[in-house]
Amino acid sequence: MALLGVKVIELAGLAPAPFCGMILADFGATVIRVDRTKVFSTLDTQARGKRSVALNLKMPEGVALLRRLCVQSDVVLEPYRKGVMEKLGLGPRELLSENPRLIYARLTGYGQSGCYASAAGHDINYLAMSGLLSQLGRSGEKPYAPLNLLADFAGGGLTCALGIVLALLERTKSGKGQIIDASM
């Protein structure tokens, strides 16, 4: 397994981040998903090969434990909007200062800068804004929405996984971690 020995902390999120974590786990990484403590149980189809822990990040003890997990890991996979991790004191600047080899992967709708960085979005929004949605379907008819396969999974989760693997490869040469900013 190509990623055997790589430890990933995946912060719970919607489709793209769990998909990215599942890909990494499928190639041998140890993936620990950090869930919220007050979540209704659901069938998680993207939990394959992962372990999980529930932490209350509104409590200092939960934040401290997450910090320890992150600085002892190779990769942090973070699916939140701009500024959420910084408010917890767990942004890339803080974690990379404690673990300079860390790969800090941010997977968001619109990235960390620009007028949409703080906006919520969904697969259909990303497809429409990119112009791709208009290309789906029959000529002269309304476009078909392709579930969330294109933006969330292909443009988000898969692209982020590739960025993480490339950052891990580069780290073998430089010894340094980096920030991945994957947006859909």
Side-chain angles (χ1 to χ4, degrees), residues 52-95:
S52 69
V53 62
L55 297 177
N56 184 348
L57 299 181
K58 295 185 187 239
M59 300 297 292
E61 299 83 10
V63 173
L65 181 53
L66 179 56
R67 175 183 297 278
R68 282 198 307 273
L69 287 171
C70 290
V71 298
Q72 295 170 4
S73 297
D74 296 292
V75 178
V76 173
L77 176 54
E78 183 252 295
Y80 305 134
R81 282 188 233 160
K82 176 182 173 180
V84 170
M85 291 296 279
E86 284 79 359
K87 287 179 187 173
L88 295 172
L90 299 172
R93 180 177 296 146
E94 293 86 358
L95 295 181

Side-chain angles (χ1 to χ4, degrees), residues 4 18 21 33 48 53 124 129 145-146 154 157 169 179 182:
L4 194 64
R33 186 184 64 215
R48 180 176 67 222
V53 62
I124 194 85
M129 291 179 76
L169 176 63
I179 301 166

Side-chain angles (χ1 to χ4, degrees), residues 2 5 12 34 46 73 86 94 119 122 139 175 178:
V34 178
Q46 297 173 341
S73 297
E86 284 79 359
E94 293 86 358
H122 300 284
S139 180
Q178 57 184 285

